[in-house]
C-alpha cells in the first residue's frame, strides 16, 4: 500500500496516512468488510513513509524538545515537506493530525468525513509534532479518546474504519447502520440470537412474538434506558 499516490477514474473515498510505520497498514482494515471494499476499490489507501523525508545519513525525523524535557519531538522541516508532497495529488482531503488533545472523534464526525472525498491523516510518534507544522499547514487535531497511545497509527485506523463502513455499499444492510449506537442520539438496544435458551437465560418474549410494532417499542425503550443509565452526557444532550 506504500508508494506514489494515484488518482482513480471513479474517485473512490481516499485515505492517505503519513506514518513512520507504513508496514502497519492496512492491518485490520484489510480484513472483513473494509478489506473487501478496499479490494473492490470502494476506497483506497496510500501510506507516505515519513522516514523518506528524514534528514541526514540517519534520516532523522525527530529532535530534542526546545526548552528541555523528556522524549523527542517530530521535526517541522521533516513533516512539512512530507505533507506538501502528499497534498500535491490529494489537495482536496481534509488534513488531520491524530492527537490526544484534539477534538473528540464522534459518529457525527465519521459521517462528515465519510461524506467527503477522504482523509489525510498524520500519525504522530514520540512526544508529538512541532507546533509550527500544525499551525502552518492548518492541521485539524482529532482525538480518539482520553488516553495516550504510543503513536497515531491505531487512531488513524479507527477513523478510517468508522468512515469506510459508512460508505455506500460497504455494509450489506443500510438499516443496521441506522439503528446503531449514536445514530439516533441513543446507544443500541440489546441484541439476541439463537439458541432460544442458553445457560438458563431466555430471549425476551417480545422479540419472539412476531409483532413488529411491539418489538420496535421494546427496542426503543431499552435504547433509552441504556443511554440514560450508561451515558447521561449523551442523554442530556438529546433532551436538549
Ligand atoms: N506528548 C503527547 C501528549 O501528551 O499529548 C502524547 C504523544 S503520543 C505518545 C504519540 C502520538 O500518538 C501522538 O503524536 C498522536 O499522534 C498519537 N496519539 C496518542 N494518543 C492519541 C489519542 N488519544 N488520539 C489520537 N492520537 C493519539
Amino acid at each position: 500500500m506504500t508508494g506514489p499516490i494515484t488518482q482513480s477514474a471513479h474517485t473512490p473515498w481516499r485515505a492517505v496516512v503519513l506514518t513512520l510505520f507504513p508496514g502497519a497498514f492496512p492491518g485490520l482494515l484489510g480484513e472483513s468488510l473494509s478489506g473487501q471494499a478496499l479490494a473492490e476499490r470502494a476506497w483506497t489507501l496510500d501510506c507516505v513513509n515519513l522516514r523518506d523525508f528524514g534528514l541526514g545519513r540517519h534520516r532523522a525525523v525527530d529532535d530534542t524538545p526546545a526548552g528541555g524535557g523528556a522524549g523527542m519531538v517530530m521535526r517541522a522541516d521533516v513533516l512539512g515537506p512530507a505533507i506538501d508532497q502528499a497534498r500535491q495529488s490529494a489537495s482536496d482531503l481534509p488534513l488531520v493530525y491524530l492527537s490526544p488533545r484534539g477534538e473528540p472523534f464522534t459518529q457525527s464526525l465519521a459521517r462528515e468525513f465519510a461524506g467527503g472525498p477522504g482523509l489525510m491523516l498524520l500519525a504522530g510518534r514520540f512526544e508529538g509534532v512541532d507546533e509550527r507544522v500544525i499551525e502552518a499547514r492548518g492541521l485539524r487535531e482529532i482525538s480518539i479518546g482520553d488516553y495516550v497511545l504510543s503513536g497515531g497509527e491505531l487512531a488513524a485506523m479507527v477513523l478510517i474504519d468508522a468512515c469506510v463502513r459508512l460508505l455506500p455499499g460497504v455494509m450489506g444492510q443500510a438499516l443496521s447502520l441506522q439503528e446503531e449506537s449514536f445514530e439516533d442520539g441513543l446507544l443500541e438496544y440489546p441484541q439476541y440470537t439463537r439458541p432460544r435458551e442458553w445457560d438458563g437465560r431466555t430471549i425476551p418474549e417480545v422479540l419472539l412474538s412476531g409483532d413488529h410494532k411491539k418489538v420496535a417499542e421494546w427496542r426503543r425503550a431499552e435504547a433509552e434506558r441504556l443511554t440514560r443509565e450508561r451515558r447521561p452526557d449523551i442523554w442530556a444532550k438529546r433532551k436538549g
Side-chain angles (χ1 to χ4, degrees):
M1 293 298 152
T2 50
I5 300 168
T6 50
Q7 198 79 45
S8 133
H10 67 291
T11 57
W13 194 86
R14 302 181 65 192
V16 178
V17 184
L18 290 84
T19 171
L20 281 171
F21 300 100
F25 292 86
L28 260 184
L29 297 168
E31 303 291 335
S32 190
L33 292 178
S34 57
Q36 200 182 324
L38 183 60
E40 290 167 357
R41 289 186 63 79
W43 67 289
T44 62
L45 174 63
D46 295 285
C47 287
V48 173
N49 190 347
L50 293 172
R51 189 66 64 185
D52 293 345
F53 297 84
L55 306 171
R57 200 156 54 89
H58 297 294
R59 293 201 171 276
V61 297
D62 56 333
D63 211 326
T64 53
M72 302 293 271
V73 176
M74 295 182 89
R75 295 177 61 124
D77 54 354
V78 169
L79 299 179
I83 291 168
D84 295 345
Q85 183 172 305
R87 296 210 89 179
Q88 278 175 20
S89 51
S91 58
D92 55 334
L93 303 188
L95 188 46
V96 165
Y97 167 47
L98 285 320
S99 161
R101 63 179 202 188
E103 66 186 284
F105 186 55
T106 59
Q107 188 66 13
S108 93
L109 263 188
R111 282 217 166 273
E112 178 188 323
F113 290 138
L119 277 176
M120 185 176 291
L121 300 159
L122 172 61
R125 281 273 155 177
F126 318 117
E127 290 310 316
V129 309
D130 188 309
E131 190 71 20
R132 291 169 295 179
V133 86
I134 299 175
E135 293 166 6
R137 296 297 178 269
L139 300 180
R140 183 169 177 182
E141 290 184 71
I142 293 182
S143 166
I144 64 160
D146 292 343
Y147 40 78
V148 180
L149 302 166
S150 309
E153 288 76 14
L154 288 172
M157 286 185 195
V158 166
L159 262 67
I160 295 169
D161 181 83
C163 292
V164 162
R165 62 197 298 284
L166 296 176
L167 298 177
V170 171
M171 289 275 288
Q173 290 169 287
L175 193 63
S176 70
L177 282 178
Q178 278 168 28
E179 295 193 349
E180 277 184 329
S181 291
F182 310 114
E183 285 300 335
D184 193 19
L186 292 172
L187 302 181
E188 195 184 52
Y189 46 79
Q191 299 272 18
Y192 300 86
T193 185
R194 292 186 183 85
R196 200 174 175 130
E197 187 179 334
W198 176 80
D199 210 13
R201 294 162 189 271
T202 55
I203 295 174
E205 216 38 61
V206 60
L207 298 180
L208 306 170
S209 68
D211 185 331
H212 299 303
K213 187 163 173 278
K214 281 204 175 122
V215 168
E217 283 167 3
W218 181 87
R219 285 179 167 166
R220 181 82 188 176
E222 283 294 291
E224 291 185 0
R225 177 184 64 79
L226 284 170
T227 311
R228 253 192 335 264
E229 287 174 10
R230 295 185 182 180
R231 294 295 301 271
D233 56 323
I234 294 180
W235 182 252
K237 267 190 222 147
R238 210 175 152 263
K239 291 287 157 187

